[in-house]
Amino acid sequence: MTKLKLGPIAEDKPVKVTVELPAPLHRDLTRYAEILGREAGKSATDPLRLIVPMLERFIATDRGFAKAKHERKD
């Protein structure tokens, strides 16, 4: 069995998502956006704009997912 970073998730149609974040996570996202902006020489990015790239990065670096995705194509 493949070891993924996430457990089973029910399939459903794509939907627009509204998410409530724990305050500490929102503070971390805000701080991350500030640091990212500073390093790029720009003002802070909206922290909510970080969520999609972070999720994409998470999925892209999940070796278990990549292996299972590849096996499914065969």
Side-chain angles (χ1 to χ4, degrees):
M1 182 170 192
T2 304
K3 174 103 169 110
L4 295 178
K5 293 182 179 184
L6 298 176
I9 299 172
E11 287 191 35
D12 206 348
K13 294 179 186 178
V15 296
K16 183 173 181 173
V17 177
T18 302
V19 179
E20 289 187 29
L21 301 175
L25 178 56
H26 186 265
R27 284 191 295 271
D28 284 346
L29 280 173
T30 301
R31 185 69 180 129
Y32 197 102
E34 291 168 356
I35 294 167
L36 187 64
R38 184 177 63 231
E39 294 201 356
K42 299 180 182 179
S43 60
T45 302
D46 177 357
L48 299 180
R49 294 192 63 210
L50 298 176
I51 295 171
V52 170
M54 286 179 162
L55 288 172
E56 289 172 338
R57 174 76 176 183
F58 173 85
I59 289 172
T61 59
D62 187 321
R63 291 181 183 166
F65 175 70
K67 181 179 177 186
K69 184 177 170 183
H70 177 73
E71 289 172 354
R72 185 168 184 199
K73 286 184 179 181
D74 293 344

